[in-house]
Amino acid sequence: MGHSWKNRPGPAAEMADVAAAQGLWERTRPGYRQLVPWMVAVTLVLVWAGVAASGIFPKIYVPSPLRVVRDGATLATSGFAGVTLLTDVLASVGRISAGFIAAILVGVPIGFWMATSDIVFAAIDPMLQFLRPIPPLAYIPIMIIWFGIGELSKVILIFFCTIPIIIISAMSGVRGTQETRLRVARCFGATRWQVFRHVILPSALPEIFTGMRVAIGVAWTCLVAAEMIASQSGLGAMIHTAGNEIRTGVVFVGIIFIGLIGYTMELVIRLIEKRVIPWKGKA
Amino acid sequence: MVSLQQVRKTYPAPVRGQDPLLAVDTIDLTLADGQFCSLVGPSGCGKTTILNLVGGFEQPSAGRIAASGRSVIGPGPDRAVVFQEAALLPWMTVEANLAFALTLRGGRPAANTERIAQMMEVMGLTGFERHYPYHLSGGMQQRVAIGRALLTNPEVLLMDEPFGALDAQTRSDLQRFLLELWSRLNPTVLFVTHDVEEAILLADRVVVMSPRPGRIVDDIAVNLPRPRTWDAVLNREFGELRRQVLDALRPSDSRARRLS
């Protein structure tokens, strides 16, 4: 989300972009900016290695980076507790994808419907606002009681914790449609469907994408928590089991992979965003 | 032809308990076919309200409005609108924006490609077909908006301060473009502006409105020869017209001047 402010429209953002483009660093060292994230990562790993090697903390609390890499390699090949890393990753990603895609398929139409009908809004909004402040983690026991500890309970949990975000972003996207653009379409004799297809839907897309980016982060939080409480597979389950056995290295591998996959998903959404809504923030 | 008969428009009171807001009062205005009419008045006088009423975006509280021989009940393709902001669709190319009205009327048959290319050329947009609106300057965006409005040959063109946000140079360029297009296609134009010079330079007649509630206080014929160029403003006749419009705009001022 670190870049999202840049995408916001308005003269301030434009001026910031111009300022960045004309900045001294940018002109004299064009490749410098790309290096910064890598330098930060390398520095952090070095500090970590230094702390681990110093012996201030027992190895069991702070494993060295090398140890974590070795644990990762073992996990990838022979696995942990009979499950390989790939199986755990696929289990987690599969659950997220299923719940998240379902939330988009159901949430976007509901959001559109709420934005266009006062009655639908009046019917759904109180429910939405009531459910939204409840931490999704509070649903976990109910999910387990109702749907067991299989896949279904996790997918439904992801669905419920992401759908309010999707609904609200779709609704406010539609409401943010510029009045003059609607008028242009109407004065050319556009039908209701044409107004929706050519004006409202594209206007709402940027907000929907922002909603998706927020939702994917929330989805990971919920999923890992659910897997830690009740699951045989998935990164959360792996961390939980490893924690019980004080296999700190494995816990680290799990945490690093959750971060990396979450980051990758964000990058994928950004990539799709660039393809689908290249005009975002420019008009 | 556009006609407004005894048109009034009131808005609900902004604060409960107050009287409803009378925006425009008893407007009688008839535009002949192909006439270019400017509408000037102090800000908040209801110029835009009148434009929105003719456009069909709002309904009058009393009176009748007709355009192209029909009663106005809603927006319609016989009346194209250009707003102060270009209001282009940023997800469409310049060409697609220009052809938007045609797209809405069912595809873009090959018969229209020439028409579109011709309009692109007239508007000085050739070469920018595949560009997106945010690649264009404000003046070029407004040109696309005007081309988009005129591509389907509407009988009536409604313009709401279309050049209000542009710099002087671009504004004068676009005024020239507009006059050229108008003389070719000859739509009936209702042009809202607060710029007295612009109002006179473009129009066949200048209708002046009072502060709210907006009423028509003067209706001045402009008989300057056409085609007009910017130097028409240096003309003595032009100066006389300007004085007349300004007098109508500031009745209290002129009365004060006469008394002194």
Side-chain angles (χ1 to χ4, degrees):
Chain A
M1 295 308 294
H3 283 71
S4 61
W5 62 271
K6 258 191 164 178
N7 293 331
R8 243 179 250 161
E14 261 178 52
M15 273 159 66
D17 275 355
V18 170
Q22 293 175 344
L24 193 61
W25 285 115
E26 301 285 330
R27 246 185 304 157
T28 48
R29 303 186 189 188
Y32 190 75
R33 201 191 165 280
Q34 274 73 25
L35 277 178
V36 171
W38 296 104
M39 288 165 65
V40 171
V42 168
T43 311
L44 284 177
V45 171
L46 284 178
V47 169
W48 170 19
V51 170
S54 70
I56 306 171
F57 306 104
K59 273 189 180 142
I60 203 159
Y61 293 168
V62 184
S64 71
L66 212 62
R67 169 82 225 194
V68 171
V69 171
R70 233 180 285 141
D71 277 346
T74 320
L75 277 169
T77 48
S78 50
F80 172 70
V83 188
T84 64
L85 184 60
L86 185 67
T87 315
D88 280 328
V89 167
L90 287 181
S92 292
V93 170
R95 288 163 187 159
I96 291 252
S97 308
F100 188 57
I101 290 170
I104 292 169
L105 292 181
V106 177
V108 169
I110 291 180
F112 284 171
W113 204 20
M114 283 175 74
T116 46
S117 160
D118 280 346
I119 294 185
V120 175
F121 179 83
I124 298 180
D125 189 61
M127 203 160 63
L128 197 67
Q129 300 309 333
F130 172 78
L131 288 175
R132 210 157 59 99
I134 301 173
L137 304 187
Y139 300 137
I140 293 177
I142 292 282
M143 292 293 153
I144 293 169
I145 293 168
W146 287 353
F147 304 107
I149 61 164
E151 294 305 309
L152 191 61
S153 60
K154 277 110 201 155
V155 171
I156 290 177
L157 182 77
I158 300 294
F159 178 79
F160 273 111
C161 70
T162 50
I163 199 166
I165 305 171
I166 302 287
I167 291 177
I168 289 167
S169 65
M171 187 171 66
S172 81
V174 170
R175 293 206 167 145
T177 307
Q178 270 185 29
E179 179 64 28
T180 47
R181 289 186 183 145
L182 292 173
R183 287 188 170 185
V184 165
R186 281 168 56 209
C187 91
F188 287 140
T191 61
R192 275 174 69 91
W193 162 248
Q194 284 177 322
V195 172
F196 175 77
R197 158 81 184 75
H198 292 292
V199 183
I200 295 176
L201 179 64
S203 294
L205 280 179
E207 284 229 37
I208 293 173
F209 269 98
T210 305
M212 281 165 60
R213 286 161 72 171
V214 176
I216 201 94
V218 172
W220 269 104
T221 315
C222 297
L223 176 75
V224 171
E227 285 176 347
M228 289 181 78
I229 292 166
S231 188
Q232 303 301 314
S233 63
L235 290 167
M238 184 186 99
I239 291 173
H240 189 63
T241 317
N244 284 344
E245 297 175 16
I246 325 187
R247 294 280 302 277
T248 327
V250 177
V251 174
F252 270 56
V253 173
I255 291 173
I256 290 169
F257 265 83
I258 290 167
L260 285 179
I261 298 168
Y263 194 9
T264 310
M265 285 187 166
E266 160 77 14
L267 290 180
V268 169
I269 293 183
R270 266 192 226 172
L271 201 74
I272 299 173
E273 204 177 52
K274 250 188 198 158
R275 279 288 173 95
V276 179
I277 46 171
W279 72 86
K280 182 178 175 179
K282 289 171 184 162
Chain B
M1 200 177 83
V2 175
S3 78
L4 295 92
Q5 288 169 35
Q6 299 286 305
V7 169
R8 284 161 63 93
K9 176 70 182 174
T10 51
Y11 292 104
V15 183
R16 254 164 73 133
Q18 280 186 357
D19 291 337
L21 201 73
L22 181 59
V24 295
D25 191 16
T26 343
I27 300 288
D28 276 298
L29 180 66
T30 304
L31 308 189
D33 275 334
Q35 191 172 49
F36 197 127
C37 174
S38 289
L39 193 57
V40 295
S43 71
C45 74
K47 308 182 288 266
T48 297
T49 302
I50 290 182
L51 198 104
N52 284 338
L53 290 170
V54 178
F57 300 120
E58 295 179 38
Q59 302 304 317
S61 311
R64 292 222 324 249
I65 301 173
S68 340
R70 284 182 296 275
S71 243
V72 170
I73 44 166
D78 57 314
R79 284 152 288 138
V81 186
V82 176
F83 301 97
Q84 177 165 0
E85 69 270 43
L88 302 177
L89 304 178
W91 39 91
M92 291 182 183
T93 61
V94 167
E95 196 177 34
N97 265 290
L98 198 84
F100 187 44
L102 291 175
T103 311
L104 294 177
R105 270 162 231 184
R108 249 179 61 188
N112 284 319
T113 45
E114 198 177 320
R115 192 157 146 205
I116 294 163
Q118 204 188 345
M119 183 59 88
M120 292 287 291
E121 200 193 323
V122 172
M123 299 312 292
L125 293 164
T126 309
F128 290 92
E129 288 86 353
R130 304 263 165 271
H131 286 60
Y132 282 85
Y134 50 84
H135 293 139
L136 306 183
S137 66
M140 285 182 85
Q141 291 188 14
Q142 197 58 290
R143 268 191 259 171
V144 179
I146 294 171
R148 173 177 69 182
L150 287 174
L151 187 68
T152 47
N153 267 342
E155 289 175 56
V156 179
L157 178 62
L158 305 169
M159 305 185 91
D160 190 2
E161 301 200 17
F163 309 142
L166 305 174
D167 61 89
Q169 175 72 51
T170 312
R171 173 189 283 237
S172 122
D173 278 353
L174 284 185
Q175 289 169 347
R176 197 163 40 81
F177 268 116
L178 177 62
L179 283 182
E180 201 179 309
L181 275 165
W182 173 71
S183 65
R184 253 187 231 208
L185 304 170
N186 213 27
T188 310
V189 182
L190 185 58
F191 188 98
V192 167
T193 179
H194 59 253
D195 181 334
V196 172
E197 211 161 85
E198 178 175 75
I200 300 168
L201 184 64
L202 298 175
D204 297 321
R205 77 196 259 212
V206 179
V207 171
V208 185
M209 289 179 68
S210 68
R212 194 169 58 215
R215 298 188 177 93
I216 294 177
V217 290
D218 210 345
D219 188 344
I220 298 157
V222 180
N223 292 316
L224 299 170
R226 293 190 186 268
R228 290 178 201 162
T229 47
W230 72 270
D231 49 13
V233 302
L234 303 174
N235 201 313
R236 237 195 60 213
E237 213 177 324
F238 194 98
E240 199 47 52
L241 285 164
R242 180 158 51 187
R243 175 203 287 276
Q244 227 178 315
V245 173
L246 288 173
D247 259 2
L249 275 173
R250 303 193 191 93
S252 50
D253 278 16
S254 54
R255 210 174 303 134
R257 204 168 55 222
R258 271 179 221 128
L259 286 174
S260 64

